[in-house]
Amino acid sequence: MTRAIDTLILGAGAAGMMCAAHAGGRTLVIDHARAPGEKIRISGGGRCNFTNLHTAPENFLSQNPHFCKSALARYTQWDFIDLVERHSIAWHEKTLGQLFCDGRSTQIVGLLVDEMRRAGAELWLSTRLCDLGHDGDRFHATLEREGAQQAVTARNLVLATGGKSIPKMGATGMAYDIAQRFGHALTETRPALVPLTFSDAPFVTLSGTALPVRASCDGASFEEAALFTHRGLSGPAILQISSYWREGAEIALDLDPEGTLLETLRAERQRQGRRNLTTALSQHMPGKVVAHLAPTLRLAGNLADQSDARLSDIVGALRNWRLRPTGSEGYRTAEVTLGGIDTGGLSSATMESRHLPGLYAIGEAVDVTGWLGGYNFQWAWASGWAAGQAISARA
């Protein structure tokens, strides 16, 4: 028996469940996983950084930076915050506008499942898409669930399977393959929000050490923490700048992001001129970092021995530490995928295909990638809402 439905949504993640909550009609959401919202569950250290107070189009990367504007303007961070509060989920702002649950991230998954159920959407887990086609009028899919196959026809198909990041959770890039099959182009895909690595493992002795920096690359800068690892660099500032870094390029680290170190050292030279230079620097940044840089910067002598020009040179080098990563941790640890389904083939208002009516692409599968800090979840909510509203309006 072939089952006829209105909308088939591939992927029970943030975008897919949000779309299902608004699509109306006979909606079926399928996912290969045994539980919905797995990336939501592990996000934010288990507390889910579900949006950002400062969400704006400028916080997103895309070959078409204007594409995200419509959806983000019509379903804002304030709309999702209102939804969170209606479900009595307590939340707090951590830093830089990042909002987290006071409790567990499973509360956000529960919110979405409740909203889907209220809308009448059906959820099939541990379900595999075996075959997919289109006859000029409807989509035809063969699904495998609990060892049995089920034929389904649907007027609408929503690609919400995400990108290639975190393959251990089953990420495959399926949405890209389906989009290409139906005439869509892809932009280059790369791991994003990912630690950077160095082939010569230069920071093994610094592993576990963190400090505030301003990381810069390709015209972008982020002022947050950097973390040294046995393979290279991580931490929020590095994850952010990784979305702008390309193989062969340099990044620059400013170890004095507030710009006060030079005047501080000059003042300390007057009061404590006999203090060792490395000791003085270690009062303002981790001693292990100072020791690591000491040979390169030729740090020797006391503060009193350093001229203004010499102190200026030292601080200048600390404020422009040039490093050339050789790679990244890849999709294995990348939080998101940069690039994806080319937005030129989609309506920015509805997320519907310009090539095949009834086909929609939302969330991470699309060439819209947010900064670290809840922006990618807000894109999932906004794009899922936009597609859901469009599907509902066509019913």
Side-chain angles (χ1 to χ4, degrees):
M1 290 285 292
T2 298
R3 181 178 178 187
I5 60 175
D6 296 311
T7 303
L8 176 62
I9 299 177
L10 307 182
M17 289 194 286
M18 189 66 170
C19 180
H22 294 275
R26 298 166 298 173
T27 295
L28 173 63
V29 184
I30 70 165
D31 201 290
H32 69 277
R34 289 178 292 180
E38 284 293 85
K39 282 188 78 172
I40 299 173
R41 181 182 60 80
I42 67 171
S43 68
R47 293 188 185 276
C48 188
N49 179 192
F50 57 82
T51 193
N52 195 294
L53 293 176
H54 307 311
T55 300
E58 294 73 30
N59 306 123
F60 295 85
L61 291 81
S62 174
Q63 286 196 3
N64 177 3
H66 302 290
F67 181 82
C68 65
K69 291 180 178 179
S70 176
L72 291 173
R74 290 182 298 128
Y75 192 90
T76 70
Q77 57 269 44
W78 311 109
D79 292 312
F80 195 76
I81 291 168
D82 179 65
L83 180 61
V84 167
E85 292 181 339
R86 281 192 275 122
H87 281 257
S88 301
I89 298 174
W91 56 271
H92 61 278
E93 180 183 357
K94 192 173 180 181
T95 56
L96 302 173
Q98 301 172 32
L99 302 191
F100 289 79
C101 298
D102 287 356
R104 307 303 299 169
S105 55
T106 49
Q107 292 177 290
I108 300 297
V109 178
L111 173 159
L112 293 165
V113 171
D114 286 347
E115 290 291 312
M116 283 198 302
R117 286 174 178 161
R118 186 174 292 123
E122 193 173 355
L123 174 61
W124 286 9
L125 298 169
S126 301
T127 300
R128 184 169 67 93
L129 177 68
C130 302
D131 190 38
L132 178 67
H134 191 271
D135 64 7
D137 180 48
R138 296 178 69 86
F139 294 93
H140 293 255
T142 302
L143 311 178
E144 184 176 83
R145 182 191 189 207
E146 298 176 351
Q149 290 195 343
Q150 170 70 62
V152 172
T153 66
R155 184 172 49 180
N156 306 300
L157 177 71
V158 182
L159 305 180
T161 57
K164 301 177 181 178
S165 57
I166 318 184
K168 69 179 181 181
M169 295 181 64
T172 63
M174 176 194 292
Y176 306 148
D177 297 334
I178 296 173
Q180 284 186 302
R181 190 188 315 172
F182 291 125
H184 283 265
L186 304 181
T187 65
E188 178 190 11
T189 55
R190 298 171 53 81
L193 302 183
V194 64
L196 299 176
T197 59
F198 296 76
S199 59
D200 55 349
F203 306 127
V204 171
T205 60
L206 300 181
S207 183
T209 302
L211 77 168
V213 304
R214 181 183 293 110
S216 302
C217 183
D218 193 29
S221 295
F222 295 92
E223 190 172 323
E224 293 190 67
L227 172 70
F228 295 95
T229 72
H230 67 287
R231 295 193 63 191
L233 290 167
S234 187
I238 302 303
L239 298 185
Q240 293 278 39
I241 210 64
S242 72
S243 296
Y244 296 83
W245 175 80
R246 309 278 302 193
E247 284 78 0
E250 283 187 332
I251 64 170
L253 298 186
D254 180 352
L255 306 189
D256 175 33
E258 295 186 358
T260 60
L261 183 58
L262 180 57
E263 288 306 313
T264 299
L265 291 176
R266 284 172 171 168
E268 290 178 354
R269 183 179 59 186
Q270 296 297 320
R271 300 192 309 270
Q272 301 171 305
R274 300 174 71 176
R275 172 178 283 187
N276 182 273
L277 176 59
T278 56
T279 302
L281 285 171
S282 297
Q283 301 300 305
H284 306 288
M285 61 188 65
K288 285 186 176 181
V289 175
V290 176
H292 178 85
L293 292 171
T296 303
L297 299 182
R298 304 191 314 280
L299 301 181
N302 299 328
L303 274 174
D305 301 325
Q306 317 301 321
S307 65
D308 279 356
R310 175 64 179 141
L311 287 179
S312 182
D313 287 345
I314 293 170
V315 172
L318 293 172
R319 299 204 65 188
N320 189 30
W321 186 10
R322 313 291 294 193
L323 296 166
R324 196 181 299 276
T326 52
S328 77
E329 294 279 2
Y331 290 116
R332 181 178 64 86
T333 60
E335 295 199 16
V336 292
T337 302
L338 186 70
I341 299 171
D342 193 325
T343 59
L346 301 172
S347 163
S348 62
T350 65
M351 312 304 295
E352 186 175 16
S353 169
R354 297 187 185 279
H355 307 310
L356 180 60
L359 177 65
Y360 298 79
I362 58 178
E364 188 184 345
V366 178
D367 175 29
V368 175
T369 306
W371 289 359
L372 183 72
Y375 297 102
N376 285 293
F377 274 129
Q378 186 57 41
W379 171 245
W381 315 138
S383 60
W385 178 90
Q389 291 290 313
I391 291 169
S392 178
R394 290 183 62 193

